[in-house]
């Protein structure tokens, strides 16, 4: 490297300048190629000695910080004091509080986010990876840091947050409008029909609230189940009537909403006619997450009622039954069965889980599909 004469130091004996790579054509060619690689890299690379003084930075690092390597070397101080010396609110940022400095001497692959100060004085967020450098005798002689500017990522995340907040606001307004329309449309009709409609709407709203907590990226499987059963789980007299057994997992928003509605219909039916309509009735919800024959992770969930009135198949299928038996298979290619056994209703759901994220996200983020 052009500045390889600056030493990496770990002890007084190591204070001798490193051997230059310019002794011999082959070593010089190696140095030239290494410099070409580093200076064409998009990520910023810093090399520091055991005093945390910068002894090398590539072209990307110079563009990132606004300083040239010559300027940084001339400062003869820790790199922290050059580009990371102040908090965004103006308070001094001691080196002892620096997360990057924790990589020296013991923490390999220290990762995190910080805020750097540009030469012109503006602040910018960065993501970093820092690791100690060891010599042939395993002595710690410095630190190597990779840094990238994440200003655009932060701005995009903030724009996404604002859009999601606006979406949530509009959804709440939509639910309120739907309730108002229903109140007008059902005026003079059976109040029970209005109550059923509002209950379904509240269940849908609850699923949306759960997704809002995770910015509509995904929802907790256990959270979906507990939220759907919340009207009974929150009652002290009913809290011991449920057995929930299964691992937690992450559900795609579309799966979360549909599963919430299915569980709501099962609970409503049980409250009216099944196990939850009597004091001694019990409901168990058991589920597993495992790959199906196609290698896709699948949710297998069983709703089982016991201790309620004797059950017989209904004369006609209502909205809840149609939702469970038709909507789930149609949307997700799964299976749903409702069994009206004398001891209680049993519902079995098999739902191949939709991959999280949006179409093409894996390509943008550089991860496997």
């Amino acid at each position: 490297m052009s500045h390889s004469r600056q030493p990496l130091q770990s002890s007084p004996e190591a204070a001798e300048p490193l051997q230059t790579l310019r002794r011999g054509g082959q070593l010089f060619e190696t140095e030239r190629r290494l410099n070409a690689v580093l200076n064409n890299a998009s990520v910023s690379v810093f090399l520091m000695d055991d005093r945390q003084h910068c002894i090398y930075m590539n072209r990307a690092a110079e563009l990132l910080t606004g300083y040239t390597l010559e300027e940084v070397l001339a400062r003869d101080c820790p790199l922290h004091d050059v580009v990371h010396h102040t908090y965004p609110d103006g308070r001094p940022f001691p080196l002892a509080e620096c997360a990057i400095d924790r990589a020296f001497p013991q923490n390999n692959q220290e990762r995190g986010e910080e805020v750097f100060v540009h030469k012109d004085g503006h602040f910018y967020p960065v993501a970093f990876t820092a690791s100690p450098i060891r010599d042939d005798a395993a002595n710690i002689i410095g630190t190597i840091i990779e840094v990238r500017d994440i200003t655009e990522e932060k701005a995009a995340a903030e724009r996404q947050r604002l859009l999601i907040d606006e979406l949530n606001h509009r959804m709440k307004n939509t639910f309120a409008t739907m309730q108002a329309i229903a109140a007008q449309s059902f005026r003079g009709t059976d109040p029970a029909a209005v109550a059923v409609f509002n209950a379904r709407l509240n269940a849908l709203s609850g699923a949306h609230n759960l997704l809002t907590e995770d910015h509509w990226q995904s929802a907790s499987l256990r959270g979906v189940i507990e939220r759907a059963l919340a009207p009974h789980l929150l009652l002290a007299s009913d809290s011991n009537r449920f057995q929930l057994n299964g691992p937690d997992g992450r559900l795609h928003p579309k799966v979360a909403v549909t599963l919430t509605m299915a569980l709501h219909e099962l609970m409503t039916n049980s409250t009216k006619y099944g196990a939850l309509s009597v004091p001694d009735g019990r409901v168990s919800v058991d589920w597993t997450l495992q790959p199906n024959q196609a290698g896709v992770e699948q949710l297998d969930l069983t709703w089982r009622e016991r201790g309620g009135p004797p059950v017989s198949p209904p004369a006609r299928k209502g909205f809840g039954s149609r939702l469970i038996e038709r909507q789930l298979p149609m949307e997700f290619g799964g299976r749903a069965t409702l069994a009206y056994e004398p001891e209680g209703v049993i519902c079995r759901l098999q739902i191949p889980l939709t991959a999280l994220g949006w179409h093409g996200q894996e390509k943008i983020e550089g991860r496997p599909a």
Side-chain angles (χ1 to χ4, degrees):
M1 300 180 218
S2 57
H3 295 279
S4 59
R5 290 187 177 85
Q6 293 293 323
L8 288 173
Q9 301 177 30
S10 61
S11 65
E13 292 77 11
E16 297 295 327
L18 294 178
Q19 295 289 330
T20 179
L21 292 180
R22 300 185 185 279
R23 294 183 180 176
Q26 184 177 1
L27 292 179
F28 174 72
E29 182 64 16
T30 299
E31 179 188 15
R32 187 184 66 79
R33 291 177 179 176
L34 182 58
N35 272 314
V37 170
L38 289 172
N39 284 323
N40 279 280
S42 59
V43 66
S44 301
V45 178
F46 300 86
L47 189 63
M48 299 191 293
D49 62 18
D50 65 344
R51 302 174 301 160
Q52 296 297 60
H53 288 215
C54 181
I55 62 172
Y56 175 80
M57 53 197 293
N58 65 351
R59 179 58 179 161
E62 292 182 327
L63 294 174
L64 177 74
T65 63
Y67 292 96
T68 65
L69 177 58
E70 287 74 16
E71 289 175 315
V72 172
L73 292 173
R75 292 282 294 272
D76 193 28
C77 64
L79 178 65
H80 174 90
D81 295 344
V82 180
V83 298
H84 201 199
H85 55 85
T86 307
Y87 283 106
D89 61 7
R91 291 179 294 119
F93 190 172
L95 178 61
E97 299 178 12
C98 177
I100 298 176
D101 187 59
R102 285 199 292 269
F104 184 89
Q106 71 274 11
N107 290 357
N108 193 43
Q109 292 284 304
E110 183 76 23
R111 297 174 183 270
E113 295 182 2
E114 282 292 351
V115 179
F116 279 6
V117 187
H118 195 270
K119 182 180 179 180
D120 64 14
H122 81 269
F123 293 90
Y124 55 98
V126 299
F128 70 86
T129 302
S131 296
I133 303 172
R134 295 173 173 83
D135 62 14
D136 293 340
N139 297 312
I140 304 297
I141 58 175
T143 310
I144 185 169
I145 307 173
E146 297 178 4
V147 178
R148 60 185 180 86
D149 189 334
I150 56 173
T151 300
E152 287 302 319
E153 294 177 25
K154 292 291 187 181
E158 178 62 16
R159 288 194 295 270
Q160 183 184 47
R161 186 189 67 80
L162 292 174
L163 288 172
I164 290 176
D165 287 347
E166 178 62 20
L167 170 65
N168 294 331
H169 177 70
R170 295 194 179 195
M171 287 298 300
K172 289 183 181 297
N173 287 343
T174 300
F175 285 134
T177 301
M178 292 171 64
Q179 285 182 316
I181 292 174
Q184 293 293 327
S185 302
F186 290 143
R187 178 173 293 181
T189 61
D190 183 5
V194 180
V196 170
F197 178 85
N198 284 332
R200 287 170 176 159
L201 200 60
N202 288 333
L204 184 60
S205 177
H208 282 241
N209 289 337
L210 187 63
L211 289 165
T212 298
E213 296 169 6
D214 257 318
H215 310 291
W216 280 84
Q217 298 295 315
S218 64
S220 161
L221 170 56
R222 178 170 283 273
V224 166
I225 295 171
E226 291 179 347
R227 185 70 62 96
L229 304 180
H232 280 275
L233 290 176
L234 294 178
L235 295 175
S237 58
D238 287 352
S239 60
N240 62 347
R241 303 178 70 182
F242 290 89
Q243 288 185 344
L244 307 182
N245 304 299
D248 200 3
R250 307 304 302 179
L251 298 180
H252 188 279
K254 190 175 182 180
V255 177
V257 170
T258 304
L259 179 60
T260 295
M261 296 305 296
L263 291 173
H264 169 76
E265 293 301 324
L266 288 169
M267 187 190 70
T268 301
N269 185 74
S270 180
T271 302
K272 287 183 177 181
Y273 314 110
L276 297 180
S277 67
V278 296
D280 295 331
R282 298 287 185 270
V283 172
S284 65
V285 184
D286 302 279
W287 68 92
T288 61
L289 291 171
Q290 55 190 0
N292 60 17
Q293 293 181 347
V296 177
E297 187 175 43
Q298 178 171 291
L299 168 64
D300 291 340
L301 183 145
T302 301
W303 168 287
R304 188 186 303 271
E305 299 181 27
R306 288 292 182 267
V311 174
S312 60
R316 64 179 183 85
K317 293 187 176 181
F319 171 82
S321 298
R322 292 195 301 271
L323 171 72
I324 294 170
E325 293 183 320
R326 299 180 187 176
Q327 192 70 16
L328 284 172
M330 182 179 69
E331 280 198 272
F332 307 108
R335 295 181 59 192
T337 59
L338 273 170
Y340 297 93
E341 298 185 359
E343 296 81 9
V345 170
I346 299 177
C347 178
R348 293 185 174 90
L349 306 177
Q350 294 178 317
I351 308 174
L353 297 184
T354 305
L356 299 181
W358 36 272
H359 181 68
Q361 182 177 8
E362 67 280 354
K363 295 181 180 178
I364 297 296
E365 296 180 350
R367 59 180 173 81

